[in-house]
Amino acid sequence: MSELNRVDTALLEVVAGMKDGRAEGAFNIRKDSGCAGRVNTENVTITTKTDKPGIDIRFVPGCRDSCHIPVIITESGLRETVYNDFYVGEGADVTIIAGCGIHNCGSDASEHDGVHTFYVGKNARVKYVEKHYGEGDGNGKNVMNPTTVVYLEEGASMQMDMSQIGGIDSTRRDTRIVCGRDADVVITERLLTHGSQRAESDMTIELNGENSRGRVISRSVAKNGSVQVFRPCVVGNAKCFGHVQCDSIIMDEAKIRSVPEIAANDLDAQLIHEAAIGRIAGDQLLKLETLGLTEEEAEDRILKGFLA
């Protein structure tokens, strides 16, 4: 296991809320393709894969627990693909805090491609929080390409909160959820891009079980010359309910493309989609400026509120 320095602990606090590289309960810290810390508990077991890079995380049935699994990269030019599998036992209620932070002070691109697969047992509940963040004073790019696949058994539910809070030059997000009978998923995606950054997000929710429910809430801000592309899709294959909502603020010379899709393959599928792209309203800025804020401060306040 490698030791943590001040840069490491600062990244861990930003992406996973871990102070001094520690957290209550089980955790695994991946640093520059190695393990920088691991703790197992009675309810949560983390083991290293033997066939490929990554870990297996198992929650015992009926437990109430949490787990932190952050990744940090501080080596310029490092590129990795990691496979993490989660097994949540029947009736469990768990919180999983993931996140990836890159500190790149070199001239080469640093890249983390993470493949997360969740197997959520009957009537289990999962809250999954994922933050992506990049920084550095070099010319090297920060690249993250997360893939998330979720299988929800009967009565299972998952709340996913995924955010990109800055500093990622290129990202391709691929998310696929498969819902069984009475399963429920809510995905909240928050994305901020600036400069010449590019972000793409492909998302598919398959509502296969009777009375399954799926909702996508996507909010984004594109600044400068950045580019964003969203392709969320909800497929109703049974009596179900699905809702896709995409809201974006566009600024400067940025470009945003939002392509929400709903597909019904059953007579009793109820599906809704909506999308909106626009600029900050002038009356919002004016109101805050009359309260003493500068234009830049007012703009920042509005954007933070929108992405909150």
Side-chain angles (χ1 to χ4, degrees), residues 154-174:
E154 180 180 348
S157 66
M158 189 159 187
Q159 178 185 340
M160 305 177 67
D161 190 338
M162 302 186 294
S163 59
Q164 181 171 303
I165 54 180
I168 307 302
D169 296 288
S170 175
T171 187
R172 177 69 181 267
R173 312 173 70 93
D174 190 357

Side-chain angles (χ1 to χ4, degrees), residues 21-214:
R22 304 291 296 181
E24 291 186 8
F27 68 83
N28 184 89
I29 300 172
R30 182 180 181 88
K31 174 188 174 183
D32 293 335
S33 297
C35 182
R38 177 180 297 173
V39 170
N40 287 328
T41 65
E42 180 180 359
N43 295 326
V44 187
T45 303
I46 304 171
T47 56
T48 302
K49 287 184 178 295
T50 57
D51 58 339
K52 52 189 173 183
I55 54 178
D56 291 330
I57 306 96
R58 299 180 184 274
F59 297 85
V60 302
C63 75
R64 303 289 185 272
D65 219 319
S66 64
C67 178
H68 289 68
I69 55 156
V71 173
I72 55 175
I73 293 177
T74 58
E75 180 182 328
S76 183
L78 188 151
R79 300 189 179 202
E80 63 176 8
T81 300
V82 181
Y83 301 85
N84 296 335
D85 292 344
F86 303 80
Y87 302 87
V88 182
E90 180 176 337
D93 188 347
V94 304
T95 299
I96 301 168
I97 309 296
C100 182
I102 298 179
H103 180 85
N104 188 353
C105 290
S107 58
D108 297 320
S110 295
E111 178 176 337
H112 174 77
D113 297 346
V115 182
H116 288 184
T117 305
F118 296 80
Y119 303 91
V120 185
K122 184 178 180 180
N123 295 323
R125 297 170 57 87
V126 177
K127 180 179 181 181
Y128 177 69
V129 181
E130 177 186 88
K131 291 183 179 179
H132 288 171
Y133 169 71
E135 63 181 22
D137 54 10
N139 297 317
K141 293 185 180 298
N142 299 325
V143 181
M144 295 187 192
N145 297 310
T147 297
T148 306
V149 182
V150 180
Y151 299 98
L152 296 175
E153 294 187 15
E154 180 180 348
S157 66
M158 189 159 187
Q159 178 185 340
M160 305 177 67
D161 190 338
M162 302 186 294
S163 59
Q164 181 171 303
I165 54 180
I168 307 302
D169 296 288
S170 175
T171 187
R172 177 69 181 267
R173 312 173 70 93
D174 190 357
T175 306
R176 179 172 176 249
I177 317 292
V178 180
C179 295
R181 181 185 179 93
D182 294 318
D184 179 83
V185 62
V186 178
I187 303 175
T188 302
E189 183 180 56
R190 301 177 178 89
L191 188 63
L192 171 65
T193 58
H194 53 83
S196 59
Q197 296 172 355
R198 182 179 180 88
E200 295 189 43
S201 178
D202 289 271
M203 197 178 297
T204 301
I205 299 177
E206 297 181 16
L207 301 175
N208 295 338
E210 185 176 0
N211 296 321
S212 55
R213 298 168 298 278

